[in-house]
Each structure stands twice: as structure tokens, then as C-alpha cells.
Amino acid sequence: DIQMTQSPSSLSASVRDRVTITCRASQSIGNYLNWYQQKPGKAPKLLIYAASSLQSGAPSRFSGSGSGTDFTLTISSLQPEDFASYYCQQSYSTPQTFGQGTKLEIK
Amino acid sequence: EVQLVESGGGLVQPGGSLKLSCAASGFTFRTHWMHWVRQAPGQGLVWVSRISGDGSTTSNADSVKGRFTISRDNAKNTLYLQMNSLRAEDTAVYYCARDWNDGLDMWGQGTMVTVSS
């Protein structure tokens, strides 16, 4: 199985900060990497698919990059509604696997 | 309205069975792979299972192989997860999700499954 390792596990930041979350795959997954945002008690929402494609409806301050084993999610200027948990997911092979999550909190 | 609505969750004893349903509306259900993803209380997301649009191809996580079966009825626009031999560690919110461009672009609201005596 492909292991997905996110860092950091938690992060404190302020509104208007630039934030980067990283995700590393245990083997090459090409660009089969997705990013999700989840708020407490809610279902996840797809933000980025295929490593760098912005999902329709997702704000343009979210961007993704990377290929192979190393990927990043960047929020260019944090907004109050961005404080949530974020997960990466590989869809290269089954079993599909998620990272352990990054909880983004207000500083 | 484009949506997924799960049902069928509840409290079940260890060793028991439960069948989850996910009703789809507002899109052409038969053209999409569909997935089940679960989340234990306070924990992260865990992929469980997926099925092709015509139902001919399925995959499961090792943790549920031989116990859970994913299926679909395209005439009823409904996805299912039959869960047998349930264990305490299966306790979670179960989400159904639509596959689009290899990402999960639509999710249901989730249904809670609690395995406890």
C-alpha cells in the first residue's frame, strides 16, 4: 500500500498569512494527488485534483503543486473560513490512501 | 439538485450486519465510479471501497476485505455497502463519494455506524 505522510500535523497561523502543507508519498504516484478541506461535523470538500488543478468553486487562493512523491498545498492569504483540517489523497492505486491530516488553527 | 444522501447507519452489536445506502440525484449516476470513505470519531479519513460505473469492478481496503461488499443499482441510482462481521473498530461516520477525474468531488452528509454491545 502507498503511505501518504502529511506535515505538519497541526499549524497555527493568522489571517492573511501564506501557508504551505506538504504531502509525501511512499512511492511515485505521478500527479494522482488530491487535496480536501474538512470542517468539523461536515463532509470533506475537494479543493485540488490531479496535484495542481483547482476544483470548480474552490477559491483561487488555494493552489497545489508537485509530482512523483512530493506535493504541496498553498493558501496564499488565509481567510477566516480557511481554518479547518486538510487531507491529501492518492488515487494512483488501490487501496487509495489519505494522509493523516493537517489541522489549521487560528493563532 | 445534485446530491448524495446516505442512510442505514445505526447501533449494531459486534459480529452483526448493517447495509448502508447512498441515494444519488441530479447527475448521471451510471457514468461515475463511486466510493465509500469512513472517519472514526476524532480521526482522519480512511478509504474503504470503490465500484465502477457498471458495477463490474470493485476494490476494498484490506481492513474490510471478506466482510464488506460494495454494490450499486443504476436503475435506482443507489450505491450500497453491505457490512458483515462488524467490529468495534468499524465504528465511524461512513461517507459515499462520487469519483470525478480521480478526485472525490461530491460527498454525502455521512451516516454514523456504531458497533458496540
Side-chain angles (χ1 to χ4, degrees):
Chain A
D1 298 1
I2 298 175
Q3 308 303 315
M4 305 301 294
T5 304
Q6 275 182 246
S7 61
S9 296
S10 62
L11 175 60
S12 294
S14 302
V15 173
R16 291 183 295 279
D17 280 355
R18 180 182 180 89
V19 167
T20 297
I21 298 169
T22 66
C23 182
R24 175 165 289 176
S26 60
Q27 66 184 74
S28 178
I29 58 171
N31 70 338
Y32 287 86
L33 191 284
N34 307 303
W35 290 98
Y36 301 86
Q37 178 193 67
Q38 187 181 33
K39 296 183 178 179
K42 300 295 186 181
K45 288 185 179 180
L46 179 64
L47 293 174
I48 301 287
Y49 65 95
S52 60
S53 296
L54 187 68
Q55 173 66 4
S56 175
S60 59
R61 60 183 178 272
F62 291 93
S63 64
S65 65
S67 67
T69 60
D70 294 312
F71 302 87
T72 60
L73 172 70
T74 299
I75 310 172
S76 60
S77 178
L78 271 174
Q79 298 303 300
E81 60 268 29
D82 299 337
F83 292 94
S85 293
Y86 293 85
Y87 295 90
C88 62
Q89 177 222 10
Q90 67 82 14
S91 55
Y92 178 78
S93 66
T94 56
Q96 296 189 6
T97 42
F98 289 88
Q100 80 279 14
T102 296
K103 187 173 183 179
L104 180 53
E105 299 175 310
I106 300 174
K107 183 183 286 184
Chain B
E1 183 184 2
V2 181
Q3 64 176 356
L4 298 169
V5 179
E6 298 99 336
S7 61
L11 175 63
V12 61
Q13 292 187 340
S17 298
L18 213 53
K19 187 172 186 177
L20 307 183
S21 299
C22 170
S25 59
F27 65 96
T28 308
F29 181 67
R30 68 180 183 277
T31 64
H32 289 268
W33 286 72
M34 296 294 295
H35 299 245
W36 288 98
V37 175
R38 70 184 181 184
Q39 186 170 37
Q43 303 301 308
L45 301 170
V46 176
W47 181 84
V48 174
S49 189
R50 76 168 184 175
I51 186 168
S52 60
D54 64 2
S56 63
T57 303
T58 63
S59 299
N60 297 292
D62 287 346
S63 59
V64 306
K65 272 181 187 173
R67 301 188 301 124
F68 290 12
T69 302
I70 189 171
S71 63
R72 64 193 298 160
D73 185 337
N74 286 343
K76 296 182 177 179
N77 289 340
T78 303
L79 174 73
Y80 302 101
L81 187 67
Q82 176 67 48
M83 304 185 295
N84 299 330
S85 302
L86 282 161
R87 306 166 180 167
E89 54 265 35
D90 296 319
T91 294
V93 174
Y94 285 74
Y95 295 101
C96 62
R98 183 180 79 170
D99 191 309
W100 181 82
N101 277 356
D102 293 308
L104 304 180
D105 75 324
M106 182 188 304
W107 296 64
Q109 84 286 356
T111 187
M112 182 71 203
V113 172
T114 303
V115 184
S116 175
S117 55

